[in-house]
Amino acid sequence: MILGFLMCLAAWPAGAPLIPLSVCEVLRDLPAHEGKTMAVLGRYSFRENGRWISEQACDAAVQGPPELWLVEEKEAPKPPDDYALDGPALNKKFADLRKNTALGKFRFGTPDYDRWTVIYGRVEARKSEDVKKAPANLVYRGNGTIVFLAPE
């Protein structure tokens, strides 16, 4: 009987692929996403003053700039061992994102300052004056949790 149970466990299906949320989707209902771990789709921006994932604009339901500041921590959540993104859902959301958000054009440096990305991390609402800069942080483990996307 134990052998049968162990065989059933081994055959148990892996977790369903994750459907990433856009930055605007996260911010539209920030209290519901507070403290949750998820994959977030947006424009990754890297500047002298920090890194963030954003969209150009969200609808009126979102207060503050449409940005999640990126905070790298060793103890941030790890992606699951069977980490996979839902391809069709990602493609649709990525196409929508590119219609409403553009990458920056730079006369200097590298185009890597702005890139399309999905980042796995934990959403943490910001407090006090920090809210003016961005409504929330996305706490992530490191570069292994960032997937850069290229348009087809």
Side-chain angles (χ1 to χ4, degrees):
M1 188 187 303
I2 293 176
L3 181 59
F5 176 73
L6 291 175
M7 287 175 53
C8 287
L9 277 180
W12 192 263
L18 294 174
I19 298 174
L21 295 179
S22 70
V23 171
C24 288
E25 288 174 311
V26 171
L27 296 177
R28 196 169 291 126
D29 194 4
L30 184 55
H33 299 299
E34 167 76 23
K36 301 231 170 97
T37 300
M38 61 189 60
V40 181
L41 169 68
R43 173 183 57 198
Y44 169 91
S45 296
F46 172 66
R47 305 288 190 278
E48 186 176 292
N49 62 337
R51 297 180 204 189
W52 60 92
I53 184 171
S54 65
E55 290 190 53
Q56 251 171 279
C58 298
D59 59 28
V62 173
Q63 300 294 324
E67 299 176 355
L68 299 172
W69 274 76
L70 299 175
V71 177
E72 185 174 357
E73 291 181 358
K74 286 183 182 179
E75 301 304 316
K78 284 187 205 178
D81 290 336
D82 59 350
Y83 181 59
L85 297 170
D86 183 306
L90 174 59
N91 288 337
K92 181 181 179 334
K93 289 183 180 214
F94 186 33
D96 291 343
L97 174 69
R98 291 189 351 240
K99 287 178 192 171
N100 302 314
T101 300
L103 296 179
K105 306 268 189 247
F106 301 97
R107 293 184 306 155
F108 59 89
T110 172
D112 292 345
Y113 291 134
D114 273 2
R115 297 165 75 180
W116 304 117
T117 191
V118 174
I119 302 176
Y120 187 84
R122 181 180 61 248
V123 175
E124 294 181 351
R126 295 178 121 193
K127 310 291 185 233
S128 66
E129 291 296 309
D130 288 341
V131 173
K132 291 179 183 174
K133 194 173 194 179
N137 293 331
L138 184 62
V139 181
Y140 70 106
R141 184 171 275 269
N143 290 338
T145 59
I146 299 175
V147 177
F148 290 111
L149 306 173
E152 294 181 273

